Amino acid sequence: MPDEKSSKVGVVIDVSADLFTAKLVPVRNESASDNAPAKHNLRLGQLGSYLLVAQFNLHVLALVERSYVVADRDGRASHMVGLTPLGEINSEGVFTRGVAHFPTSGAGVYQVSQSELKQIFSRHSEVGYRIGRLTSFNTIEVFLDASAFFGRHAAILGQSGSGKSWTVTSLIQSALRSMPKAHIIVLDMHGEYCDREIDGVTATSPFPADKVRCLKAQEVEFPYWLLAYSELCELITDPADENASIQISFLRSILMRLKRETNEHLELGHITVDSPVYFPLDELMDLINKANNETTDFGKTKSPLYGKFDQVLVRLNSLMSDSRYDFLMKPKTRKSTESLASLMKDLVGLGEPKANVTVLDLSAVPFDVLPMVTAQIGRLAYEFNFWNPLCREFPIYLICEEAHEYIPREDIPRYREARRSMERIAKNGRKYGVGLCIVSQRPADVSETVLAQCSSYICLRISNPDDQEYVRSMVPEAVRGTFATLTSLSKGEAVALGEAVPMPVRFRVNPPEPPPNSTDVDYAGKWRDGGKEISVEKLVSNWHRQLR
């Protein structure tokens, strides 16, 4: 709060609802202390710095979003700044987001002391969830409101190479330090967060060994019988086939029959075509094959379904004969309805060994079934707490890496179930303790419904104008000056907005220790000095055996 010792640095000359214009005056340098103006590494009026607008008992904290010089009548230069009002500071020094009372022209402009900034950014420090330090004031730590960040959904956005993987790793590591009983699920598209061994070289997970469990999709298995009816139809039928409508109708009838007959001993009650219960795939194929070849009168008369399922059988046989799909089509452990409980335990970290972070390595999942697998994971995470009477005692958090690959903005049939699954979490998950984090390098390609439900955003460098504009339309606080800085952010530097932070803030993410397995390739070094000798036979063998 400004007092007689505070440094007045200017005066407000124009006020609008979203922008103040002020004229700055030169000030003498003062010694740095906790109560001295917070000009560490900053020049007066520098973009991204904070100033305080005060008038009588009104104190408004503002962010410098524009700095320029104009000439007065005598030709002397006047330093002008454009200020975005962020919120008010009351007489007790408590910051409140938003401005209810606006100053008038002539209000004083003051520098903000380091102690005031520390008090504002330590607002959520009671949990200790620290994520970084202010870019300009590296002595001031930035804390997130953990309940708002994890419980009301979040997005981590930035172009390739901006530091998204480092940020995700740092946030999880910090969460485990401050909240050791967390329950986090990570969809790992490129094997960046899991233990990996390639030709004898081992890369370990960046998370503590006693708190993480890394599972490959091929090991955990996401069996065919967990697919929704629409997903199964999409998997084995072709909409362009002239017999598609007949195939889909017949598939519904035999699916209902198989599910009910197979699970009759469990006395589950009402079973629908979408019920997550086991049915034998070989019997399904036998019934389809029988209908496809059925004749009467000793083969002289063909049945109405004769030859209608040729393409379905080709597709099924192709999937069954390709080892890449074994985790889906030929489960070894998930061969009964009762096995669903163990799958859900593994998913949320209650399996053996127990874990606070479950990393699902999906890097070897074929791209054509990846949307179905992610849809299953999202559905299982949601259903776990939807049917859990103690859901508020067991909040879980799902981190969707490379979300644009399976939660697209456009309504594309093959991604429809994955998109629907994640949108359901985005819209209703908060009520049942299921949080969602969207991580993407192309936010303009991500479902608008999902991003719009996020209450907190961590934006790293974004250069694409379409992505910038899309994010600007989604975020709850589209501060013009804040978004203007997105193209100038360095690697590992981010802007945080939304309910998890007291106000929009530019900060440097705490470096993860250890870092994820996602370092950039050293083109210059490898092309200058040469790398290790490559065995083409070995990589072809890895391809054949689907080893990465």
Side-chain angles (χ1 to χ4, degrees):
M1 304 292 290
D3 54 29
E4 62 274 6
K5 295 182 180 179
S6 298
S7 176
K8 183 176 180 179
V9 298
V11 61
V12 174
I13 61 174
D14 183 72
V15 176
S16 64
D18 61 349
L19 183 69
F20 303 163
T21 301
K23 177 181 178 181
L24 301 184
V25 296
V27 296
R28 293 179 300 174
N29 290 331
E30 299 182 18
S31 60
S33 70
D34 279 351
N35 293 319
K39 52 181 179 291
H40 179 64
N41 290 339
L42 280 181
R43 297 183 180 89
L44 180 62
Q46 184 171 323
L47 293 184
S49 63
Y50 300 95
L51 293 172
L52 189 67
V53 177
Q55 190 173 43
F56 303 111
N57 293 325
L58 175 65
H59 303 91
V60 177
L61 187 68
L63 178 72
V64 178
E65 73 153 37
R66 187 184 178 200
S67 178
Y68 58 101
V69 174
V70 298
D72 60 17
R73 294 179 179 177
D74 298 326
R76 291 174 297 189
S78 295
H79 187 183
M80 310 294 291
V81 290
L83 305 174
T84 297
L86 302 174
E88 298 183 35
I89 301 177
N90 65 20
S91 57
E92 298 177 355
V94 177
F95 174 81
T96 304
R97 190 197 307 264
V99 179
H101 307 91
F102 287 85
T104 61
S105 298
V109 178
Y110 299 83
Q111 288 182 296
V112 185
S113 70
Q114 292 190 43
S115 60
E116 288 172 330
L117 284 178
K118 285 182 180 179
Q119 182 176 354
I120 292 172
F121 287 108
S122 63
R123 177 177 173 181
H124 305 300
S125 60
E126 64 276 2
V127 175
Y129 189 37
R130 55 175 60 86
I131 60 169
R133 297 176 181 270
L134 292 186
T135 298
S136 303
F137 314 117
N138 56 21
T139 60
I140 300 178
E141 293 184 312
V142 177
F143 295 84
L144 288 184
D145 181 342
S147 292
F149 184 78
F150 293 112
R152 299 175 189 169
H153 314 313
I156 300 174
L157 310 172
Q159 67 189 45
S160 179
S162 60
K164 293 188 302 300
S165 298
W166 273 52
T167 301
V168 170
T169 303
S170 178
L171 290 176
I172 295 177
Q173 290 175 348
S174 180
L176 292 176
R177 286 191 293 268
S178 58
M179 297 164 285
K181 302 298 183 182
H183 306 285
I184 300 172
I185 305 167
V186 183
L187 303 190
D188 188 358
M189 297 294 129
H190 304 293
E192 297 174 314
Y193 308 101
C194 60
D195 297 330
R196 299 176 63 189
E197 183 175 346
I198 304 176
D199 294 338
V201 179
T202 301
T204 60
S205 171
F207 311 120
D210 61 336
K211 291 186 176 295
V212 66
R213 188 181 183 194
C214 301
L215 298 171
K216 294 182 180 295
Q218 292 82 351
E219 297 171 352
V220 69
E221 296 181 343
F222 295 97
Y224 63 88
W225 51 270
L226 282 179
L227 294 174
Y229 167 65
S230 59
E231 291 174 317
L232 187 61
C233 290
E234 179 188 325
L235 182 65
I236 64 177
T237 65
D238 181 0
D241 191 331
E242 61 180 359
N243 298 311
S245 60
I246 297 175
Q247 296 165 0
I248 292 173
S249 178
F250 181 74
L251 185 60
R252 171 182 283 274
S253 63
I254 60 173
L255 199 58
M256 287 285 293
R257 171 183 156 190
L258 285 175
K259 285 189 173 186
R260 289 173 177 172
E261 290 178 353
T262 306
N263 298 279
E264 186 176 3
H265 66 289
L266 296 177
E267 299 181 353
L268 297 177
H270 185 59
I271 294 179
T272 70
V273 72
D274 284 321
S275 295
V277 295
Y278 173 78
F279 66 90
L281 187 59
D282 54 350
E283 290 189 26
L284 179 77
M285 294 180 67
D286 288 343
L287 290 172
I288 293 175
N289 192 56
K290 181 180 178 181
N292 196 55
N293 295 289
E294 187 175 3
T295 60
T296 58
D297 195 17
F298 301 100
K300 297 179 181 179
T301 304
K302 297 178 181 179
S303 73
L305 297 180
Y306 185 89
K308 305 294 185 183
F309 299 93
D310 289 342
Q311 294 299 321
V312 172
L313 291 169
V314 168
R315 176 61 175 162
L316 274 171
N317 286 317
S318 175
L319 291 169
M320 295 293 286
S321 61
D322 192 332
S323 61
R324 296 179 303 162
Y325 300 92
D326 283 355
F327 75 98
L328 179 69
M329 307 303 292
K330 295 180 180 180
K332 297 177 181 178
T333 58
R334 318 291 183 191
K335 296 190 294 184
S336 68
T337 299
E338 293 89 337
S339 65
L340 177 57
S342 65
L343 172 58
M344 298 187 81
K345 285 182 179 180
D346 289 340
L347 186 66
V348 300
L350 295 179
E352 291 297 333
K354 292 185 177 181
N356 301 106
V357 179
T358 302
V359 178
L360 298 174
D361 182 6
L362 306 181
S363 58
V365 175
F367 76 94
D368 56 333
V369 297
L370 178 63
M372 296 182 187
V373 174
T374 56
Q376 283 195 51
I377 296 171
R379 188 182 306 120
L380 290 172
Y382 181 86
E383 300 291 354
F384 182 92
N385 261 4
F386 181 83
W387 299 106
N388 178 11
L390 298 177
C391 61
R392 302 181 70 86
E393 302 296 320
F394 195 88
I396 58 182
Y397 196 60
L398 180 62
I399 299 178
C400 297
E401 271 277 2
E402 305 292 357
H404 54 278
E405 293 186 3
Y406 48 92
I407 319 175
R409 184 180 183 183
E410 303 297 330
D411 184 18
I412 304 172
R414 66 186 298 259
Y415 299 102
R416 192 166 290 156
E417 289 301 325
R419 179 180 173 183
R420 183 180 301 161
S421 177
M422 299 306 176
E423 286 182 351
R424 183 167 67 153
I425 295 177
K427 290 186 285 189
N428 302 316
R430 181 178 62 85
K431 303 173 185 177
Y432 307 106
V434 183
L436 185 67
C437 181
I438 299 300
V439 184
S440 176
Q441 59 181 277
R442 283 308 314 272
D445 291 342
V446 178
S447 165
E448 186 174 4
T449 299
V450 170
L451 276 186
Q453 294 296 325
C454 294
S455 70
S456 301
Y457 297 80
I458 295 180
C459 300
L460 295 99
R461 184 173 66 252
I462 299 177
S463 300
N464 187 291
D466 294 336
D467 289 330
Q468 285 194 33
E469 185 58 35
Y470 187 55
V471 175
R472 190 195 308 271
S473 67
M474 291 290 104
V475 299
E477 300 177 57
V479 182
R480 292 174 296 174
T482 302
F483 275 88
T485 65
L486 291 184
T487 57
S488 62
L489 295 175
S490 60
K491 185 173 182 178
E493 192 178 9
V495 171
L497 311 99
E499 295 184 20
V501 288
M503 59 185 176
V505 55
R506 180 172 177 173
F507 70 102
R508 185 166 295 280
V509 179
N510 288 332
E513 183 58 43
N517 306 318
S518 59
T519 55
D520 293 334
V521 176
D522 181 15
Y523 275 77
K526 299 305 179 185
W527 285 1
R528 181 189 64 231
D529 305 324
K532 296 180 180 179
E533 185 175 350
I534 301 299
S535 170
V536 178
E537 290 78 11
K538 181 63 176 177
L539 72 86
V540 171
S541 175
N542 290 343
W543 186 6
H544 286 157
R545 293 182 293 137
Q546 293 294 292
L547 298 177
R548 295 188 74 253

